[in-house]
Amino acid sequence: MAREKLAQAKADAARRGQLPRREPRRRAAGPRREGGDPQLFGRAIADLLADRGWERSAAVGGVFGRWGDIVGPDLAAHTRPESFDDGVVLIAADSTAWATQVRMLARTLVRRLNEELGDGTVTKVKVRGPQNAPRPSGGLRVTGSRGPGDTYG
């Protein structure tokens, strides 16, 4: 009975001009999409980053955004990454003690950042200590001093 129905469906299709295919359909390895077809958001962003050459900048921005997860909460509470240029990461510390601590951990930080960004991306870590207020212009003065004449008599 199923064969009769199949034969009947083929005959109906032949009368309408819609003959079934003779060879089996071949499927592509992955989904094929035309340029105007919708695509997944993550894939669209990845394609845009690749087309514009922004992959490394986006990766560095991601590392800067996850600084606390990468270096730990204690170090992240007292430091922040400021810039990345030609393999050099500039880190600002909120005290000279933390700046010294980061300088001692520089090799470990380079290794950890390269794990996140890819080997050879970070070559050096520079550390900037706290920025104090600008010094007043002029020489240093001692209260009650009369200048150089007071020592000569």
Side-chain angles (χ1 to χ4, degrees):
M1 184 166 198
R3 287 184 188 157
E4 291 174 8
K5 291 292 185 184
L6 180 60
Q8 180 65 36
K10 285 182 179 180
D12 290 343
R15 278 194 299 267
R16 290 189 308 249
Q18 299 174 343
L19 295 175
R21 303 184 112 194
R22 301 268 183 228
E23 71 271 353
R25 291 186 179 194
R26 294 181 188 161
R27 294 192 73 195
R32 284 186 70 157
R33 296 174 188 242
E34 298 299 323
D37 287 347
Q39 56 181 320
L40 297 174
F41 183 72
R43 179 70 184 164
I45 294 297
D47 289 346
L48 175 68
L49 293 175
D51 290 343
R52 304 278 172 103
W54 294 341
E55 291 169 314
R56 179 173 281 179
S57 299
V60 170
V63 167
F64 283 15
R66 296 181 301 114
W67 184 248
D69 297 334
I70 293 170
V71 300
D74 293 335
L75 192 60
H78 299 282
T79 62
R80 72 180 184 284
E82 287 198 337
S83 67
F84 174 79
D85 189 32
D86 292 333
V88 178
V89 175
L90 177 63
I91 299 173
D94 63 1
S95 71
T96 55
W98 280 103
T100 302
Q101 182 71 18
V102 172
R103 285 184 189 102
M104 290 190 313
L105 293 171
R107 283 187 179 173
T108 305
L109 280 175
V110 168
R111 182 184 48 79
R112 182 67 180 103
L113 291 171
N114 281 330
E115 287 174 6
E116 293 288 326
L117 297 170
D119 280 339
T121 304
V122 177
T123 58
K124 188 176 183 181
V125 170
K126 283 190 175 181
V127 183
R128 185 177 55 81
Q131 300 295 316
N132 295 330
R135 290 184 137 177
S137 60
L140 300 176
R141 298 190 152 263
V142 176
T143 307
S145 166
R146 294 184 309 200
D150 65 343
T151 56
Y152 298 113

